[in-house]
Amino acid sequence: MFKKLKEKKGFTLVELIVVLVILAILAALLIPALTGYIDKAKNKSVIAETRQTVMAAQTLYDEEYAKVKTGGTVSFGSEDGDKKIALATVAKLAEVDTANVISIAVDKDKNKISELVYDNGQKKCTYKPADSATNTDGDYNVETSTRK
């Protein structure tokens, strides 16, 4: 009277499509979150490199300033010289690429680095302690690099 029903093995096409749609939705939610984390990591990396460069520049400035007579000044430039520190020397001490250190300015009254621009080709970071309220990360402001 009754015929035996065949046993089903495997998934139907509808079940497979439903699983694929769920995976696509999850991927659509995760990708923007992951790119945000990647961008934050790149920002932190360029800030760390800039901080290293600021510390190297301040160290070299302090050493050179100690050698100068009272009332003398020290500056940063393209070449080492009398009372002048080369950007390449700062980059070497900071262990960063020489081309990445764009400029360094000094507050002569406080004998401190007042501005340093670091650009690694992807991100540009400017150290400026006076602008802490407007910077993205304390004394450091990160933006997309325009350098090629």
Side-chain angles (χ1 to χ4, degrees), residues 1 3 9 28 31 33 43 46 53 57 75 80-81 83 85 94-95 101 106 117-118 124 126 129 139 143 148:
M1 278 203 213
K3 292 184 180 178
K9 290 188 179 183
I31 289 173
N43 284 354
V46 76
T53 309
S75 63
D80 280 327
K83 303 178 196 174
I85 303 165
E95 297 179 352
V101 182
V106 178
V117 179
Y118 181 87
K124 177 182 176 183
T126 305
D139 293 340
E143 53 195 37
K148 301 243 174 169

Side-chain angles (χ1 to χ4, degrees), residues 79-90:
E79 295 180 10
D80 280 327
D82 189 33
K83 303 178 196 174
K84 199 167 206 173
I85 303 165
L87 297 179
T89 306
V90 174

Side-chain angles (χ1 to χ4, degrees), residues 100-139:
N100 293 352
V101 182
I102 307 303
S103 66
I104 302 173
V106 178
D107 182 344
K108 306 280 188 213
D109 296 332
K110 297 178 182 176
N111 292 321
K112 297 229 179 250
I113 304 298
S114 62
E115 182 178 30
L116 186 139
V117 179
Y118 181 87
D119 190 337
N120 67 6
Q122 293 179 335
K123 298 281 185 178
K124 177 182 176 183
C125 184
T126 305
Y127 167 78
K128 206 172 201 179
D131 280 352
S132 297
T134 60
N135 287 345
T136 56
D137 197 343
D139 293 340

Side-chain angles (χ1 to χ4, degrees), residues 19-102:
V19 169
L20 290 174
V21 167
I22 290 171
L23 288 174
I25 291 170
L26 288 174
L29 294 173
L30 283 177
I31 289 173
L34 290 177
T35 56
Y37 290 130
I38 291 169
D39 197 41
K40 284 181 184 177
K42 286 181 181 177
N43 284 354
K44 294 295 180 187
S45 173
V46 76
I47 287 171
E49 291 169 2
T50 305
R51 187 173 286 131
Q52 237 171 260
T53 309
V54 169
M55 289 173 34
Q58 187 66 53
T59 300
L60 290 169
Y61 179 84
D62 291 343
E63 286 177 359
E64 194 63 32
Y65 186 75
K67 298 175 191 174
V68 176
K69 293 181 181 178
T70 306
T73 60
V74 178
S75 63
F76 292 91
S78 57
E79 295 180 10
D80 280 327
D82 189 33
K83 303 178 196 174
K84 199 167 206 173
I85 303 165
L87 297 179
T89 306
V90 174
K92 184 178 178 185
L93 181 61
E95 297 179 352
V96 296
D97 189 14
T98 303
N100 293 352
V101 182
I102 307 303

